[in-house]
Amino acid sequence: MSSLRESRRHGRPVHRRQVQGQPGHGRPPGMRGLAIDLGSSRTRAWVPGRGLVLDPLTEDAARRPVRRGRIVDPESCGRLLGRIADAALGPDRSDTVMVLSLPVLAGAEHRRAAKELLTALGPAGVVVLDSARAAAAYADPRGGGPLLVIDMGAELTEVTLLVDGMVADARQAESGLSDPAADSVPGAVVRSVLEMIMSMWRQDRNGALRGALRKGPLLAGGGALRPDITNRIAVRLGVPVRLADDPSTAVVRGAGLILGSVLRHPAAAHAAPPGRPR
């Protein structure tokens, strides 16, 4: 049985900027970067100027270092991140910035553990951001107002309401595409998504969710590649839905876009930059 988590974080930035170094100084020219989407079934990496350089499968299901969006095996996760960093950046990473996207409701302990693992790789700076913010930066770079992001992964499903680039509400179900039997996946995922949206609806005091639904929810993650899921969501909600280009990589591409802005100007990390990473 899946469990449901929720959060209402009015007025808080969508991602947490955790950059090491002297405040008030821009980054030296020639800084490099690496963006990582640490998933339960697959970890993706993006390097500005090179694109999606790695898309490695994690170890077998019984030994995955991340389960339900949380690091359960720090040592194995550290080795995985180290292999990615070595392949993408080489052994000397003192001139690099690393961006890591995590589930919106990952929790402080998981964020702290992930940041420590990245810091141990020796970059000059580390930025931790929410996956919904990353997906929105890639798929809706010039969007304003409320946006509903539905991220359907292998072991986790999240629904996040963004208002002007900030998390207004979020729900998480610890279930996903890899949980039910193959013939029941669409129904289970759709029910989970609708339950989370209805939970948000009951607390939508200022109409932000209604505005986001009129605009059309943004679908990301592997579930967005399933017409049997996306069509049901559209029919049940009675609104058109929007699919991110290549939904399964939307988060890491958005993280790469934000990383590019951080490398150009640190202050740009606070706003969704226009365009897409190349």
Side-chain angles (χ1 to χ4, degrees):
M1 176 161 313
S2 64
S3 62
L4 176 67
R5 298 176 63 203
E6 63 180 78
S7 172
R8 298 180 63 80
R9 303 191 299 177
H10 298 283
R12 296 183 59 182
V14 176
H15 76 278
R16 298 158 181 78
R17 186 163 164 255
Q18 300 173 327
V19 181
Q20 302 169 347
Q22 295 181 345
H25 293 275
R27 301 196 180 282
M31 290 288 285
R32 299 177 297 151
L34 173 66
I36 300 173
D37 176 25
L38 191 61
S40 298
S41 66
R42 190 181 291 266
T43 298
R44 295 177 169 88
W46 184 279
V47 173
R50 293 172 56 190
L52 193 65
V53 295
L54 289 172
D55 191 8
L57 287 170
T58 59
E59 299 172 10
D60 63 82
R63 300 171 58 195
R64 289 175 186 163
V66 179
R67 302 303 303 267
R68 308 294 180 191
R70 301 181 186 88
I71 296 174
V72 296
D73 185 347
E75 183 177 351
S76 177
C77 188
R79 290 195 300 269
L80 172 63
L81 293 174
R83 290 195 299 269
I84 293 174
D86 286 342
L89 302 172
D92 182 6
R93 297 181 282 267
S94 59
D95 63 342
T96 66
V97 176
M98 295 186 183
V99 170
L100 179 68
S101 65
L102 298 174
V104 177
L105 297 179
E109 182 178 352
H110 176 63
R111 291 177 182 275
R112 183 168 54 252
K115 181 174 181 291
E116 290 175 354
L117 289 174
L118 281 189
T119 301
L121 298 179
V126 173
V127 177
V128 178
L129 59 90
D130 295 326
S131 56
R133 163 64 154 75
Y138 174 67
D140 195 43
R142 293 180 176 85
L147 175 67
L148 190 68
V149 180
I150 302 174
D151 189 353
M152 298 169 286
E155 295 185 345
L156 209 62
T157 302
E158 279 198 324
V159 178
T160 305
L161 177 63
L162 304 178
V163 178
D164 295 329
M166 306 177 82
V167 171
D169 203 351
R171 300 288 190 276
Q172 181 188 93
E174 294 187 348
S175 59
L177 302 175
S178 64
D179 285 332
D183 58 350
S184 64
V185 165
V189 172
V190 171
R191 282 193 300 273
S192 179
V193 168
L194 293 176
E195 287 172 2
M196 288 187 280
I197 293 176
M198 289 307 299
S199 177
M200 285 183 172
W201 184 277
R202 289 189 288 270
Q203 299 185 37
D204 185 28
R205 307 304 183 197
N206 57 10
L209 179 62
R210 293 169 176 81
L213 288 173
R214 286 194 296 269
K215 183 178 181 179
L218 172 66
L219 306 187
L225 297 170
R226 300 276 303 265
D228 52 349
I229 292 177
T230 59
N231 291 343
R232 292 190 192 191
I233 291 175
V235 170
R236 294 291 299 274
L237 290 177
V239 298
V241 297
R242 297 183 294 155
L243 272 64
D245 292 340
D246 194 4
S248 61
T249 65
V251 170
V252 75
R253 290 171 186 268
L257 187 152
I258 293 171
L259 169 63
S261 295
V262 173
L263 293 175
R264 290 191 298 271
H265 194 287
H270 290 293
R276 294 181 179 178
R278 298 181 181 273

